[in-house]
Amino acid sequence: MWVDSGRKLWARPRAAAPTRLLPRLAESPWRTAVLVTLLVALPLLVLDTVSTAAARDGLRARTLSNQHRAADQAGMFVASEIDQLRNGLVTAAADPGLAAAVGSGHGSVIERYLVPFRALMPKEVMRVFVLDRSGTNLAIEPPAPDTLGKDFSGRDYFKGVSRGSWQPYVSEAFVTVLQGAPPSVAIVVPVRDPTGAPVGVLGVALDLGAASDWFARLRAAFTDVYLVDDRGRLITRASGIGDDALLDLSADPTIAASLRGESVARETNFLGSRRLVASATVPGVAWHLVVTDDPAELDAAVLPLITGLGSVSLAFLALTLGAAVLLARGFRRLARHRAALAVANTELAAASQAKSEFLASMSHELRTPLNAILGFSELLDEQLGAQIAERQRKYLRNIHEAGDHLLALVNDILDLSKVEAGRVELRPELIALTTLVEAVSSAIQPAADARGVTIAVGVSDNTPLWLDPGRVRQILLNLMSNAVKFTPPRGTVDLEARLDGRDLVLRVADTGIGIPADQQDRVFRIFERPNEGRSDAGGTGLGLALTKRLVELHGGTIEFTSVADEGTTFTVWLPNVSGVVLAGERLLIVEDERRDVELIVAIAAGNGLRSEVVTTVAAAAASIAADPPIGIVLDLRLPDGRGEVVLQLARTASPPIPVIVVSVEDDDGRVRALGADDHITKPIDRTRLSGWMALIGARRQPAERSA
């Protein structure tokens, strides 16, 4: 439990929900299967709906875009057709003979010009006609005698061409005077004499029904195409104009928007039906185009997708139901196993507790008489040593040596039990490498002298180490005492201690009897004595087993090589124990993973920051107490506890120390609530970490300037 400003943050109750849920799920596999299937079906239904809607919307958007392009292209095509007709009329009107005939009013002469000209016109040209300057019809081809001599000066096309400077003009749609003729649009140009003065008008009348062929290609791709004049009246359409010629469509919102100059591309009601519509203006002519399509056809195109998604979803739901049934049955079996495991754990916990209590009791019960045996044997030797015979003195020494041996056995058993139960806590502190090694060599020297064994000690440097000196001495003493014990007189035992980067390497080599190859797998087992029968040296078979566990408790490794009758070499590797303590301005890195340390130190160096590295909560607390750093990079999982302890120390410092958490644990917001600046989940995000370090460096600079 962590306490923050009176608020308690409990972690254990969170694990209770799955514990309660599992038995409930195991009660009814089918109920669980249906529940799981529903939980899968709802998101799947939403996904299908969203996917279908997205496909439908995407298809509509592409269709509208295509329609808009098609409307623009159709408008340019119509403009091109009108331009060709207008250019043809301008060329014909420039003929001097035609101009002379129009100026003199000779209709028969004009007709001779019109016949070949009409033959060159496209089929949508219904009539070619000529009016004089006043608007009277002089000639028409094909012939229409009843129109000759009639006054057409009131027509829109004559007013348009004769207005102002006499320019070519395209008219609105109109009903012709010809009996049974379809509605038409006139394209007219002025006829001028050699002086440039207008003498009449040359024009063509377009059959609006035939003009629908202009949109034949678009008709194959879209439902329909509408062409309207500047008043919104229907000129023609791709599906055929029929009786709708000159129908006023200006009330339709799409037509009205196009008449206002707006470009439309949307799904809307068009002339009473739901349609996709896109509009465009015919360049150079006051006409407008509307291309339409039926959205039902798009829905039909999306239908295979909907069907496919539905089939896949149903198949997936069926598989989910089957898998959920199997899973629920598995839950039931798992619940039974968990219940059995819980009972077994309870029994094991009780057994472990009983063992701990037994060991504690035996520790007291054995050490109390041993204390008396050792104490009184020493007292008798002191008080009666001069009065008793040599044989009796030897008996006293035997009693004392047996008591020492039994005490060592009891201590080894208790230490091994504590390590296996996880009850041994390392108490690291700074100690010089030479100090550590000298204490071990001094302790083992008497035994070596007694056996005639030479001890050689080599220490590469005197770098301070951050470790538990008591436990490391215990490791070395076990290895050295074993080496001395199994080395014959005049043999040697070498102890080498050196640093490899931040790691401590210990090497103990002897010239003893070695370990046979077929016995080497027994070396680290409890109560195993591989050299039993090859040596009269005593032992409990616990020393190396305890040594291996103590090494692993430090996060290290122990290895050995041995050749029978030649000697044995043990090598111990303890990582991240270099304990150089920096003072003053520095970044404190609290991390026990060597590769992560190297990366963080490199990033700090790139930001111009010095780094101090510690691997435990205790070391971090000591460093903060000695000289607060400018910032802390903190791992949450440390060998001797949780990083939140360091975070609490940093927050309560004066002033508070900035902290960034770098851990394998996911960011749940908890460490920020406890005062951390940020939480980076491993693997390390170098950019974020470097950015935080840059901010730390920036906070430092104002203080330097003020100093």
Side-chain angles (χ1 to χ4, degrees), residues 417-690:
S417 299
K418 287 179 181 179
V419 171
E420 290 182 339
R423 296 172 57 193
V424 173
E425 294 184 1
L426 299 180
R427 294 179 173 83
E429 60 184 65
L430 281 175
I431 184 172
L433 182 57
T434 54
T435 303
L436 179 69
V437 172
E438 285 173 359
V440 175
S441 61
S442 298
I444 206 69
Q445 190 64 52
D449 292 342
R451 289 187 59 83
V453 175
T454 301
I455 293 180
V457 178
V459 180
S460 61
D461 55 48
N462 198 28
T463 301
L465 305 178
W466 185 260
L467 44 72
D468 186 332
R471 293 302 181 182
V472 176
R473 286 194 193 101
Q474 189 173 0
I475 292 170
L476 284 175
L477 283 171
N478 284 343
L479 295 177
M480 292 289 288
S481 63
N482 258 14
V484 170
K485 187 188 306 181
F486 293 104
T487 299
R490 293 184 297 279
T492 60
V493 174
D494 294 328
L495 169 59
E496 178 190 357
R498 61 182 175 85
L499 281 175
D500 183 359
R502 294 187 49 80
D503 303 336
L504 175 62
V505 180
L506 303 172
R507 177 177 172 272
V508 177
D510 64 59
T511 59
I513 64 174
I515 305 171
D518 60 347
Q519 300 292 317
Q520 290 183 5
D521 59 343
R522 301 170 52 196
V523 167
F524 295 116
R525 295 179 186 175
I526 298 174
F527 298 117
E528 291 282 358
R529 299 179 62 196
N531 279 323
E532 190 173 12
R534 301 179 64 238
S535 171
D536 58 357
T540 62
L542 292 174
L544 289 177
L546 178 59
T547 298
K548 184 175 188 297
R549 284 158 177 78
L550 289 175
V551 169
E552 291 171 347
L553 189 63
H554 283 80
T557 58
I558 181 171
E559 300 173 347
F560 74 94
T561 58
S562 184
V563 178
D565 300 322
E566 293 185 14
T568 303
T569 300
F570 281 89
T571 303
V572 174
W573 191 293
L574 301 180
N576 297 321
V577 297
S578 179
V580 177
V581 178
L582 297 177
E585 186 180 276
R586 72 206 187 280
L587 184 69
L588 180 61
I589 302 172
V590 188
E591 172 63 71
D592 61 337
E593 175 56 46
R594 179 173 57 183
R595 295 182 182 87
D596 291 340
V597 167
E598 293 173 354
L599 176 59
I600 297 170
V601 169
I603 296 172
N607 284 275
L609 300 176
R610 295 195 309 159
S611 299
E612 175 189 357
V613 179
V614 297
T615 61
T616 62
V617 173
S623 177
I624 294 171
D627 189 6
I630 62 172
I632 299 175
V633 180
L634 177 64
D635 188 10
L636 293 179
R637 297 183 178 182
L638 298 169
D640 62 340
R642 294 286 300 175
E644 287 88 348
V645 176
V646 180
L647 183 56
Q648 178 73 12
L649 293 174
R651 189 180 62 177
T652 56
S654 181
I657 304 170
V659 177
I660 186 169
V661 170
V662 179
S663 175
V664 296
E665 297 182 7
D666 290 334
D667 181 8
D668 58 3
R670 179 168 51 86
V671 296
R672 288 186 178 88
L674 293 175
D677 292 345
D678 198 0
H679 182 140
I680 297 177
T681 302
K682 294 180 181 179
I684 297 172
D685 186 333
R686 297 180 59 185
T687 302
R688 284 174 61 189
L689 183 56
S690 180

Side-chain angles (χ1 to χ4, degrees), residues 165-190:
S165 59
W166 288 74
Q167 294 297 326
Y169 183 75
V170 180
S171 76
E172 299 175 348
F174 62 90
V175 178
T176 68
V177 297
L178 299 175
Q179 185 68 30
S184 179
V185 167
I187 304 174
V188 293
V189 298

